[in-house]
Coordinates of all heavy atoms in Angstrom, one line a residue:
A1 N -268.1 183.8 -4.7 CA -268.4 183.0 -3.5 C -268.2 181.5 -3.8 O -268.4 181.1 -4.9 CB -269.8 183.3 -3.0
F2 N -267.9 180.8 -2.8 CA -268.0 179.3 -2.9 C -268.5 178.6 -1.8 O -268.4 179.0 -0.6 CB -266.4 178.8 -3.1 CG -266.2 177.3 -3.1 CD1 -266.4 176.6 -4.3 CD2 -266.0 176.6 -1.9 CE1 -266.2 175.2 -4.3 CE2 -265.9 175.3 -1.8 CZ -266.0 174.6 -3.0
E3 N -269.2 177.4 -1.9 CA -269.8 176.6 -0.8 C -269.7 175.1 -1.3 O -270.2 174.8 -2.4 CB -271.2 177.0 -0.5 CG -271.8 176.3 0.6 CD -273.1 176.8 1.0 OE1 -274.1 176.7 0.0 OE2 -273.4 177.2 2.1
G4 N -269.1 174.4 -0.4 CA -269.1 173.0 -0.8 C -268.4 172.1 0.2 O -268.3 172.5 1.4
E5 N -268.2 170.8 -0.1 CA -267.6 169.9 0.9 C -266.6 169.1 0.2 O -266.5 168.8 -1.1 CB -268.6 168.8 1.3 CG -269.8 169.5 2.2 CD -270.8 168.4 2.6 OE1 -271.0 167.4 1.9 OE2 -271.4 168.8 3.6
V6 N -265.6 168.6 1.0 CA -264.4 167.8 0.4 C -264.2 166.6 1.2 O -264.5 166.6 2.4 CB -263.1 168.6 0.3 CG1 -263.3 169.8 -0.6 CG2 -262.7 169.1 1.8
T7 N -263.7 165.6 0.6 CA -263.4 164.3 1.3 C -261.9 164.0 0.9 O -261.5 164.0 -0.3 CB -264.3 163.2 0.8 OG1 -265.6 163.6 1.3 CG2 -263.9 161.8 1.3
G8 N -261.2 163.3 1.8 CA -259.8 162.8 1.5 C -259.2 162.3 2.7 O -259.8 161.9 3.7
R9 N -257.8 162.4 2.6 CA -257.0 161.8 3.6 C -256.3 163.0 4.4 O -255.6 163.8 3.7 CB -255.9 160.8 3.3 CG -255.3 160.1 4.4 CD -254.5 158.8 3.7 NE -253.7 159.2 2.8 CZ -253.3 158.4 1.7 NH1 -253.9 157.2 1.6 NH2 -252.4 158.7 0.9
V10 N -256.5 163.2 5.7 CA -255.9 164.2 6.5 C -255.2 163.7 7.6 O -255.7 163.0 8.5 CB -257.1 165.2 7.0 CG1 -256.5 166.3 7.8 CG2 -257.9 165.7 5.7
M11 N -253.9 164.0 7.8 CA -252.9 163.6 8.8 C -253.1 162.0 8.8 O -253.0 161.4 9.9 CB -253.4 164.2 10.1 CG -253.2 165.7 10.1 SD -253.6 166.4 11.8 CE -252.3 165.7 12.8
G12 N -253.2 161.4 7.6 CA -253.1 159.9 7.5 C -254.5 159.3 7.9 O -254.6 158.1 7.8
V13 N -255.4 160.1 8.2 CA -256.8 159.6 8.5 C -257.8 160.1 7.5 O -257.8 161.3 7.1 CB -257.2 160.1 9.9 CG1 -258.6 159.7 10.2 CG2 -256.2 159.7 11.0
N14 N -258.7 159.1 7.0 CA -259.7 159.5 6.1 C -260.7 160.4 6.7 O -261.2 160.3 7.8 CB -260.5 158.3 5.6 CG -259.6 157.3 4.6 OD1 -258.6 157.9 4.0 ND2 -259.9 156.1 4.6
A15 N -261.0 161.5 6.0 CA -262.0 162.6 6.4 C -263.0 162.8 5.4 O -262.6 162.9 4.2 CB -261.3 163.8 6.9
S16 N -264.3 163.0 5.8 CA -265.3 163.2 4.8 C -266.2 164.3 5.1 O -266.3 164.7 6.3 CB -266.1 161.9 4.6 OG -266.7 161.5 5.9
D17 N -266.8 164.9 4.0 CA -267.8 166.0 4.1 C -267.2 167.2 4.9 O -267.9 167.6 5.9 CB -269.0 165.4 4.8 CG -269.7 164.3 4.0 OD1 -269.6 164.3 2.7 OD2 -270.3 163.4 4.6
I18 N -266.1 167.6 4.7 CA -265.5 168.7 5.3 C -266.0 170.0 4.6 O -265.7 170.2 3.5 CB -264.0 168.7 5.3 CG1 -263.5 167.4 6.1 CG2 -263.3 169.9 5.9 CD1 -262.0 167.3 6.0
G19 N -266.8 170.9 5.3 CA -267.3 172.0 4.7 C -266.3 173.1 4.4 O -265.3 173.4 5.1
V20 N -266.5 173.8 3.3 CA -265.7 175.0 2.9 C -266.5 175.9 2.3 O -267.4 175.8 1.5 CB -264.5 174.5 1.9 CG1 -263.7 175.7 1.4 CG2 -263.6 173.5 2.3
V21 N -266.4 177.2 2.9 CA -267.2 178.3 2.3 C -266.2 179.6 2.2 O -265.4 179.8 3.0 CB -268.2 178.8 3.4 CG1 -269.0 180.1 3.0 CG2 -269.2 177.7 3.6
S22 N -266.4 180.3 1.2 CA -265.7 181.5 0.8 C -266.6 182.7 0.4 O -267.4 182.5 -0.6 CB -264.6 181.2 -0.2 OG -263.9 182.5 -0.5
V23 N -266.7 183.7 1.2 CA -267.4 184.9 0.8 C -266.7 186.1 1.3 O -266.0 186.1 2.3 CB -268.8 184.9 1.5 CG1 -269.6 183.7 0.9 CG2 -268.7 184.7 3.1
D24 N -266.8 187.2 0.4 CA -266.2 188.5 0.9 C -264.8 188.6 1.1 O -264.2 189.2 2.0 CB -266.9 189.2 2.1 CG -268.4 189.4 1.7 OD1 -268.8 189.7 0.7 OD2 -269.3 189.3 2.6
G25 N -264.0 187.6 0.5 CA -262.7 187.4 0.6 C -262.1 186.6 1.8 O -261.0 186.5 2.1
D26 N -263.2 186.1 2.6 CA -262.8 185.3 3.8 C -263.1 183.8 3.5 O -264.2 183.5 2.8 CB -263.7 185.7 5.0 CG -263.2 187.0 5.5 OD1 -262.1 187.4 5.5 OD2 -264.2 187.8 5.9
V27 N -262.1 182.9 3.8 CA -262.3 181.5 3.6 C -262.5 180.9 4.8 O -261.6 180.9 5.8 CB -261.1 180.9 2.7 CG1 -261.3 179.4 2.5 CG2 -260.8 181.6 1.5
F28 N -263.5 179.9 5.0 CA -263.9 179.1 6.1 C -263.8 177.8 5.9 O -264.3 177.2 4.9 CB -265.3 179.6 6.6 CG -265.5 181.0 6.9 CD1 -266.0 181.8 5.7 CD2 -265.4 181.6 8.1 CE1 -266.2 183.2 6.0 CE2 -265.6 182.9 8.4 CZ -266.0 183.7 7.3
V29 N -263.1 177.0 6.9 CA -263.0 175.5 6.8 C -263.6 174.9 7.9 O -263.4 175.4 9.1 CB -261.6 175.0 6.7 CG1 -261.5 173.5 6.7 CG2 -261.0 175.7 5.4
E30 N -264.5 174.0 7.8 CA -265.2 173.4 9.0 C -264.2 172.3 9.6 O -264.2 171.1 9.2 CB -266.5 172.8 8.6 CG -267.4 172.4 9.8 CD -268.7 171.8 9.4 OE1 -268.9 171.5 8.3 OE2 -269.6 171.8 10.4
V31 N -263.4 172.7 10.6 CA -262.4 171.7 11.1 C -263.0 170.9 12.1 O -263.7 171.3 13.0 CB -261.2 172.5 11.8 CG1 -260.3 171.6 12.3 CG2 -260.7 173.5 10.8
P32 N -262.9 169.6 12.1 CA -263.5 168.6 13.0 C -263.1 169.0 14.5 O -262.0 169.5 14.7 CB -262.7 167.2 12.8 CG -262.5 167.4 11.3 CD -262.1 168.7 11.0
V33 N -264.1 169.0 15.3 CA -263.9 169.3 16.7 C -263.9 170.9 17.0 O -264.7 171.4 17.8 CB -262.7 168.8 17.4 CG1 -262.7 169.2 19.0 CG2 -262.7 167.2 17.4
L34 N -263.2 171.6 16.2 CA -263.1 173.0 16.4 C -264.2 173.8 15.6 O -264.3 175.0 16.1 CB -261.7 173.6 15.8 CG -260.5 173.0 16.5 CD1 -259.2 173.6 15.9 CD2 -260.5 173.3 18.0
G35 N -264.7 173.3 14.7 CA -265.8 174.0 13.9 C -265.3 174.9 12.8 O -264.2 174.6 12.4
W36 N -266.1 175.9 12.5 CA -265.6 176.8 11.4 C -264.3 177.7 11.8 O -264.4 178.3 12.8 CB -266.8 177.7 11.0 CG -267.8 176.9 10.2 CD1 -269.0 176.5 10.8 CD2 -267.8 176.5 8.9 NE1 -269.7 175.8 9.9 CE2 -269.0 175.8 8.7 CE3 -266.9 176.6 7.9 CZ2 -269.3 175.2 7.5 CZ3 -267.2 176.0 6.6 CH2 -268.5 175.3 6.4
Q37 N -263.4 177.6 10.9 CA -262.1 178.5 11.2 C -261.8 179.2 9.9 O -261.9 178.7 8.8 CB -261.0 177.5 11.5 CG -261.3 176.5 12.8 CD -261.3 177.4 14.1 OE1 -260.4 178.1 14.4 NE2 -262.3 177.0 14.7
T38 N -261.4 180.4 10.0 CA -260.9 181.1 8.9 C -259.4 180.9 8.6 O -258.7 180.5 9.6 CB -261.1 182.6 9.1 OG1 -260.4 183.1 10.2 CG2 -262.5 182.9 9.3
Y39 N -258.9 181.0 7.3 CA -257.5 180.8 7.0 C -257.3 181.7 5.8 O -258.1 182.1 5.0 CB -257.1 179.4 6.8 CG -257.6 178.8 5.5 CD1 -256.6 178.8 4.4 CD2 -258.8 178.3 5.3 CE1 -257.1 178.2 3.1 CE2 -259.2 177.7 4.1 CZ -258.3 177.7 3.1 OH -258.7 177.3 1.7
D40 N -256.0 182.0 5.7 CA -255.4 182.8 4.5 C -254.9 181.7 3.5 O -253.9 181.1 3.8 CB -254.3 183.7 5.0 CG -253.7 184.6 3.8 OD1 -254.1 184.3 2.7 OD2 -252.9 185.4 4.1
P41 N -255.6 181.6 2.4 CA -255.1 180.6 1.5 C -253.7 180.8 0.9 O -253.0 179.8 0.5 CB -256.1 180.8 0.2 CG -257.2 181.4 0.8 CD -256.6 182.4 1.9
T42 N -253.2 182.0 1.0 CA -251.7 182.2 0.4 C -250.7 181.6 1.3 O -249.7 181.4 0.9 CB -251.5 183.7 0.2 OG1 -251.6 184.4 1.5 CG2 -252.5 184.3 -0.7
E43 N -251.1 181.2 2.6 CA -250.2 180.6 3.4 C -250.0 179.1 3.1 O -249.1 178.6 3.6 CB -250.7 180.8 4.9 CG -250.7 182.2 5.4 CD -251.2 182.3 6.8 OE1 -251.3 181.3 7.5 OE2 -251.3 183.5 7.3
F44 N -251.0 178.6 2.3 CA -250.9 177.1 2.0 C -251.0 176.9 0.5 O -251.3 175.8 0.2 CB -252.3 176.6 2.7 CG -252.4 176.9 4.1 CD1 -253.5 177.8 4.5 CD2 -251.6 176.4 5.1 CE1 -253.7 178.2 5.8 CE2 -251.7 176.7 6.4 CZ -252.9 177.6 6.8
C45 N -250.3 177.8 -0.2 CA -250.1 177.6 -1.6 C -251.4 177.3 -2.4 O -251.5 176.4 -3.2 CB -249.2 176.6 -1.9 SG -247.4 177.0 -1.3

C-alpha cells in the first residue's frame, strides 16, 4: 500500500499537496475539482 502527497508543475501550473493512495491494486489520485479518481499506472509509464 502507499499513501502520500506530491507537489510539482501540472499543465504549466504549480500544484501542491496532491493526494495519492494505492491499495489492493487500485491507485487513486486526488485531482483538483474532480476529487479522488482511479487510474491504471501502466497507461502512463
Side-chain angles (χ1 to χ4, degrees):
F2 173 86
E3 182 178 57
E5 296 180 338
V6 299
T7 296
R9 189 165 59 210
V10 180
M11 296 182 68
V13 178
N14 289 335
S16 61
D17 301 329
I18 299 174
V20 178
V21 173
S22 175
V23 292
D24 298 327
D26 293 323
V27 180
F28 304 86
V29 175
E30 191 175 19
V31 181
V33 180
L34 296 181
W36 289 100
Q37 305 289 311
T38 60
Y39 78 94
D40 180 357
T42 61
E43 295 181 4
F44 309 108
C45 296

